[in-house]
């Protein structure tokens, strides 16, 4: 009798999966429509021009963000331009040669040098050598918080003690109290994998989320702390309720933005990873609908050398998990995700 019931349960699970998995694909982009780290409408032309060996569009883009104090955009664009310059250097070398004191070129130069330093086996030594480049970027525009985000990343790789780190953090928040990139860099420094603990990491993230402006992605910072805990392991255990609370807060923040908005895409991808680890399958499926075609390298590159392939594979896995728990005869009201377009609201401005 026990064997018969086990076989029946296995049959029903397989039947549910076969019947429901295809239905759960409704509203999701096809695999070949999903883009990895897709640039927005402003960054795209700069990357295309750089691919042709021209730096003018990139220079204009970063100059615009600096003049308008668009610090969040400036950080993202500088990071992507530096990543492009790692493999295609001609356009950037020309920029530095033609405008050696351009604060925008200095910013990308500092980011590029730190990224290269991180890749080296002699990381700490090389990173110490690039400190003057970060100083030059900071002096390029004293209002700009982005060089201080780079300095926080640099501090993590050079064994900078807490007292010196706190001074860097003070300089960063003095320029932009709610800058997401600076908060994310500080949280990494405070994680158990580096110079803090899971408790410090969560405490920092939760305080920052409470103090964040409405609509700011800093409100979702606790889910980064949850990711750090789930991927690093070791140390004191974090209660499940605290992990769920971090995920719930990030779900609320994600819901404030329109579906398929590239701006919160990284936070949504990160949230999806955490929801998978927490086995909150229906929440994860709902987040996939919010992500739309915008997969991001982080966090999938932390678990695979093929981040896009990993994202697509886990996307299928989420649908299978949800389908296996659904009734054989599916009613419209049983769908675990919104069937109408999610309106949301536009992203908040830079601060």
């Amino acid at each position: 009798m026990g064997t018969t019931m086990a076989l029946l349960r296995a049959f029903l699970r397989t039947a549910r999966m076969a019947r429901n998995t295809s239905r759960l694909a409704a509203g999701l982009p096809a695999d070949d429509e999903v883009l990895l780290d897709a640039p927005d409408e402003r960054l795209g032309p700069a990357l295309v021009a750089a691919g042709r060996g021209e730096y003018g569009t990139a220079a204009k883009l970063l100059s615009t963000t600096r003049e308008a104090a668009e610090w969040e955009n400036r950080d993202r664009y500088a990071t992507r331009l530096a990543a492009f310059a790692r493999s295609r250097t001609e356009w950037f070398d020309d920029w530095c040669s033609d405008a050696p004191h351009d604060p925008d070129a200095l910013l990308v130069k500092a980011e590029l040098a730190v990224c290269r330093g991180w890749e080296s086996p002699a990381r700490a030594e090389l990173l110490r050598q690039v400190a003057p480049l970060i100083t030059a970027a900071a002096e390029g525009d004293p209002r700009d918080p982005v060089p201080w985000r780079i300095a926080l990343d640099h501090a993590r790789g050079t064994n900078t003690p807490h007292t010196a780190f706190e001074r860097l953090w003070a300089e960063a928040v003095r320029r932009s109290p709610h800058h997401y990139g600076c908060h994310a860099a500080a949280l990494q420094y405070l994680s158990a994998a580096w110079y803090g603990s899971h408790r410090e990491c969560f405490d920092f993230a939760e305080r920052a989320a409470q103090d964040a402006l409405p609509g700011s992605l800093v409100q979702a910072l606790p889910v980064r702390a949850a990711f750090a805990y789930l991927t690093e392991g070791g140390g004191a255990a974090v209660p499940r309720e605290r992990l769920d609370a971090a995920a719930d807060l990030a779900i609320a923040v994600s819901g404030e933005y329109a579906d398929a908005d590239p701006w919160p895409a990284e936070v949504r991808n990160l949230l999806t990873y955490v929801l998978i680890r927490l086995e909150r399958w229906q929440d994860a499926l709902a987040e996939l609908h919010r992500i739309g075609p915008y997969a991001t390298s982080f966090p999938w590159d932390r678990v695979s050398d093929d981040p896009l392939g990993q994202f697509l594979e886990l996307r299928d896995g989420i649908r299978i998990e949800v389908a296996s728990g659904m009734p054989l005869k599916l009613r419209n009201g049983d769908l675990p995700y919104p069937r109408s377009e999610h309106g949301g609201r536009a992203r908040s401005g830079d601060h």
Side-chain angles (χ1 to χ4, degrees):
M1 182 66 175
T3 302
T4 301
M5 291 303 295
L7 289 172
L8 179 59
R9 283 194 294 269
F11 171 78
L12 288 173
R13 178 180 172 87
T14 302
R16 292 188 190 103
M17 289 165 53
R19 177 181 291 270
N20 295 324
T21 301
S22 60
R23 301 185 186 189
L24 295 175
L28 291 175
D31 285 1
D32 60 4
E33 295 175 341
V34 177
L35 308 171
L36 184 68
D37 300 327
D40 65 18
E41 68 281 358
R42 299 172 69 189
L43 178 61
L47 293 175
V48 170
R52 296 195 301 263
E54 303 166 4
Y55 66 82
T57 307
K60 177 61 177 176
L61 175 63
L62 287 186
S63 174
T64 299
T65 62
R66 177 168 47 85
E67 292 167 0
E70 297 178 24
W71 306 129
E72 300 287 7
N73 279 329
R74 181 172 176 79
D75 197 351
R76 294 192 183 201
Y77 295 156
T79 300
R80 292 293 302 276
L81 290 167
F84 191 79
R86 287 163 69 181
S87 56
R88 301 283 296 274
T89 62
E90 299 84 0
W91 66 278
F92 185 63
D93 292 340
D94 289 345
W95 187 5
C96 292
S97 176
D98 293 346
H101 304 296
D102 182 340
D104 307 312
L106 291 172
L107 180 67
V108 177
K109 188 175 184 178
E111 173 69 16
L112 177 59
V114 170
C115 289
R116 286 173 171 165
W118 270 100
E119 295 174 347
S120 170
R123 182 177 64 204
E125 180 181 350
L126 283 180
L127 285 175
R128 290 189 188 98
Q129 294 174 11
V130 306
L133 297 180
I134 301 174
T135 300
E139 292 173 347
D141 189 331
R143 303 172 304 148
D144 188 357
V146 182
W148 297 96
R149 191 271 301 159
I150 298 173
L152 292 169
D153 286 336
H154 179 265
R156 185 162 45 90
T158 53
N159 304 314
T160 300
H162 271 69
T163 51
F165 166 81
E166 288 168 1
R167 288 195 292 271
L168 295 174
W169 173 245
E171 292 288 348
V173 297
R174 184 167 67 83
R175 288 162 173 80
S176 183
H178 306 289
H179 186 264
Y180 179 76
C182 289
H183 279 80
L187 185 139
Q188 278 192 285
Y189 180 95
L190 296 171
S191 70
W194 292 96
Y195 308 108
S197 65
H198 297 313
R199 181 185 59 80
E200 283 182 275
C201 193
F202 267 92
D203 288 350
F204 172 81
E206 288 166 355
R207 285 196 304 270
Q210 290 172 0
D211 295 339
L213 297 174
S216 169
L217 292 178
V218 174
Q219 291 180 101
L221 204 64
V223 87
R224 289 190 78 110
F227 172 81
Y229 172 71
L230 292 169
T231 54
E232 292 161 8
V238 174
R240 170 65 189 243
E241 305 82 60
R242 201 171 193 182
L243 298 173
D244 280 322
D248 290 341
L249 181 57
I251 288 171
V253 173
S254 176
E256 296 182 5
Y257 294 83
D259 283 358
D261 182 346
W263 180 257
E266 184 178 277
V267 167
R268 285 172 167 168
N269 278 255
L270 180 63
L271 169 58
T272 301
Y273 175 92
V274 171
L275 291 170
I276 290 171
R277 291 292 302 271
L278 297 178
E279 298 184 2
R280 292 175 54 171
W281 305 114
Q282 292 201 6
D283 286 334
L285 181 59
E287 209 56 40
L288 289 178
H289 282 267
R290 290 173 171 170
I291 289 170
Y294 294 109
T296 58
S297 290
F298 178 76
W300 314 113
D301 60 0
R302 300 301 192 270
V303 294
S304 172
D305 292 332
D306 178 14
L308 179 57
Q310 181 72 82
F311 173 80
L312 295 174
E313 182 179 337
L314 290 172
R315 196 172 71 150
D316 289 341
I318 290 168
R319 288 164 48 207
I320 290 171
E321 289 290 343
V322 173
S324 67
M326 293 171 65
L328 277 172
K329 182 174 285 188
L330 187 65
R331 301 181 305 272
N332 284 340
D334 293 325
L335 290 172
Y337 54 86
R339 295 182 300 280
S340 59
E341 180 68 18
H342 179 77
R345 69 178 170 82
R347 80 179 76 137
S348 61
D350 289 290
H351 302 283

